[in-house]
Amino acid sequence: MPQIESSRGSVWRAPGMAPLLAMSALGFAGFALLLPTAPLWARHIGADEGGAGLVNAVLMLATVLVQTTVPWALRTIGWRLVLSAGMLLLGLPSMLLIFTDELWQVLAVSAVRGAGFAALTVCGASAVAHLVPRSHSGRAVGVYGLSIALPQFLLTPTSAWIAESVDFRVVFVLGCLPALAVPFAIALGARIGRAGGEDEPEDAGPGGGRVFLALALPALVLLAITTPGGAVISFAPQLGFGPFAVIIALFALTGVAAFSRFIAGGLADRYGPHRFIPPLLGTGAVGLGLVAWATIAPADSALVLVAGAMLTGIAYGALQNLTLVISFAAVPIRMRNIASTTWNMGFDTGTGLGSLVVGFIAAGTSFAVGFSVTAAFCAVVGALYRLFPVRGDGERRVVDVERLVVLL
């Protein structure tokens, strides 16, 4: 596949990047609009905190289950059909929420949308590895990260406000935006399909069970930060703060996440990704501790909430980039779709768990306890990552997780 040849080439100009970025932006726009709004709609029609938490948990459960089939689907029916179907399944069901008045109906829509989101996430991340060489992977992941983070930055904080201040139906109609990405999905799929026979030569690398061991620790790191990230996004409108404070906090989280994800790409290419992970997990734990503290007295702690959201956003954005770079570096080229699937399963499992676990903990105790648990999870995973060193292998660096598996 034709890729950037010069070490100084711009990843923005890599063939196929333009449709990838457009498709990803539209797809994640639909995702971001409903991530806080669908649980809020569930509360609006009578569900409790636990029921509201189920909405995004079901979305992510369906996503993770379908993600396991995406590599097979790409081999069987091809990129164009998989991507086009994914965009339609993610976007069009949003309109059905207008007609829902029971929790099970909202959950059913979430499940269908999760199937579409599975195709978008696995194919989008995998396409980055198809379009650029490994030497540019950090920067390419950063650019790809911007295309998915900017819609979340603009829409996640405002969608709940639009729903409550204007009308839920406006958000549900806008949630169909992924369907507009079908032409870009077809163009990207055609690009990858045409160049499929010109791919890089398969390289030697770990195989079989060792590949999955090599992918386990970055997936655990991703799980540790997306669990609280998903919880903050899902429950910020329900924490007892005023609408303005919620919007600013979500802008802080998603905006800082977009910036840190982009910056982390260049740092990963230059210095390697591993050294940044423990301190970033520590930063996330501190931010979540501040969020937990803020929920104890919402009327007097809006600034604490915003500060906690910003610190959480630094870790949330940067660790998404770094763990994806590590995952691609840990496998031979022929298995990059598997690396993308594993990474996305970690991301989406964390987002779903954050909604489910924090929701049910809050229903039984408080949001302060729920966010404190996620902060402790971040800290523990950061400590584990520091305990198990990185093993060098030429330009590729593989995380040594065998000692971790033995320990567990």
Side-chain angles (χ1 to χ4, degrees), residues 209-226:
R210 293 192 63 186
V211 166
F212 292 97
L213 286 176
L215 294 172
L217 196 51
L220 179 62
V221 170
L222 194 62
L223 182 70
I225 195 60
T226 54

Side-chain angles (χ1 to χ4, degrees), residues 166-212:
V166 183
D167 198 312
F168 277 92
R169 288 174 292 186
V170 174
V171 178
F172 297 155
V173 171
L174 291 174
C176 296
L177 281 172
L180 301 180
V182 169
F184 301 110
I186 293 172
L188 175 63
R191 171 69 195 174
I192 294 176
R194 283 197 307 270
E198 305 170 28
D199 214 336
E200 298 176 67
E202 293 188 359
D203 55 346
R210 293 192 63 186
V211 166
F212 292 97

Side-chain angles (χ1 to χ4, degrees), residues 333-359:
I333 291 171
R334 67 183 182 278
M335 300 188 72
R336 55 197 163 193
N337 290 345
I338 300 297
S340 174
T341 299
T342 304
W343 183 88
N344 278 287
M345 288 175 67
F347 183 96
D348 297 325
T349 299
T351 303
L353 280 177
S355 179
L356 181 65
V357 173
V358 173

Side-chain angles (χ1 to χ4, degrees), residues 67 70-71 74 79 117-127 337 340-341 344:
Q67 280 170 341
V70 173
L74 290 174
W79 280 76
F117 192 56
L120 170 63
T121 51
V122 172
C123 295
S126 182
N337 290 345
S340 174
T341 299
N344 278 287

Side-chain angles (χ1 to χ4, degrees), residues 110-136:
S110 293
V112 176
R113 293 182 63 247
F117 192 56
L120 170 63
T121 51
V122 172
C123 295
S126 182
V128 174
H130 281 272
L131 298 176
V132 300
R134 289 180 187 261
S135 61
H136 288 66

Side-chain angles (χ1 to χ4, degrees), residues 17-388:
M17 282 296 287
L20 169 62
L21 299 180
M23 179 196 73
S24 300
L26 287 168
F28 273 85
F31 173 77
L33 281 160
L34 294 187
L35 196 61
T37 308
L40 196 61
W41 176 249
R43 292 297 305 275
H44 183 75
I45 62 176
D48 62 8
E49 290 90 345
L54 279 174
V55 174
N56 285 342
V58 168
L59 171 74
M60 291 308 165
L61 175 61
T63 298
V64 170
L65 291 176
V66 176
Q67 280 170 341
T68 62
T69 70
V70 173
W72 169 84
L74 290 174
R75 294 192 303 269
T76 304
I77 63 176
W79 280 76
R80 280 177 289 186
L81 287 177
V82 171
L83 283 171
S84 299
M87 295 303 96
L88 294 174
L89 289 173
L90 177 59
L92 295 182
S94 175
M95 288 284 290
L96 298 178
L97 288 172
I98 296 173
F99 308 103
T100 59
D101 56 10
E102 295 186 32
L103 178 61
W104 72 266
Q105 297 169 333
V106 179
L107 298 180
V109 171
S110 293
V112 176
R113 293 182 63 247
F117 192 56
L120 170 63
T121 51
V122 172
C123 295
S126 182
V128 174
H130 281 272
L131 298 176
V132 300
R134 289 180 187 261
S135 61
H136 288 66
S137 61
R139 279 167 283 176
V141 169
V143 170
Y144 168 70
L146 278 181
S147 73
I148 67 179
L150 287 178
Q152 295 180 78
F153 168 65
L154 295 172
L155 299 175
T156 300
T158 56
S159 60
W161 177 84
I162 293 171
E164 293 187 304
S165 302
V166 183
D167 198 312
F168 277 92
R169 288 174 292 186
V170 174
V171 178
F172 297 155
V173 171
L174 291 174
C176 296
L177 281 172
L180 301 180
V182 169
F184 301 110
I186 293 172
L188 175 63
R191 171 69 195 174
I192 294 176
R194 283 197 307 270
E198 305 170 28
D199 214 336
E200 298 176 67
E202 293 188 359
D203 55 346
R210 293 192 63 186
V211 166
F212 292 97
L213 286 176
L215 294 172
L217 196 51
L220 179 62
V221 170
L222 194 62
L223 182 70
I225 195 60
T226 54
T227 295
V232 172
I233 292 170
S234 294
F235 293 114
Q238 304 174 43
L239 296 181
F241 295 89
F244 182 73
V246 170
I247 289 175
I248 295 301
L250 288 176
F251 267 126
L253 187 148
T254 55
V256 170
F259 180 75
S260 63
R261 184 166 184 170
F262 180 68
I263 293 299
L267 294 175
D269 285 344
R270 185 170 182 179
Y271 300 108
H274 300 283
R275 69 182 66 192
F276 300 106
I277 287 179
L280 282 168
L281 285 170
T283 301
V286 172
L288 291 162
L290 291 176
V291 172
W293 182 21
T295 63
I296 296 173
D300 304 317
S301 53
L303 290 178
V304 177
L305 174 70
V306 173
M310 288 183 67
L311 289 174
T312 303
I314 291 171
Y316 186 68
L319 287 171
Q320 289 177 46
N321 184 311
L322 299 177
T323 51
L324 184 56
V325 171
I326 291 169
S327 296
F328 284 141
V331 300
I333 291 171
R334 67 183 182 278
M335 300 188 72
R336 55 197 163 193
N337 290 345
I338 300 297
S340 174
T341 299
T342 304
W343 183 88
N344 278 287
M345 288 175 67
F347 183 96
D348 297 325
T349 299
T351 303
L353 280 177
S355 179
L356 181 65
V357 173
V358 173
F360 276 101
I361 291 176
T365 56
S366 67
F367 279 113
V369 175
F371 285 114
S372 296
V373 170
T374 62
F377 185 30
C378 266
V380 169
V381 174
L384 285 174
Y385 202 97
R386 187 172 292 279
L387 285 173
F388 299 99

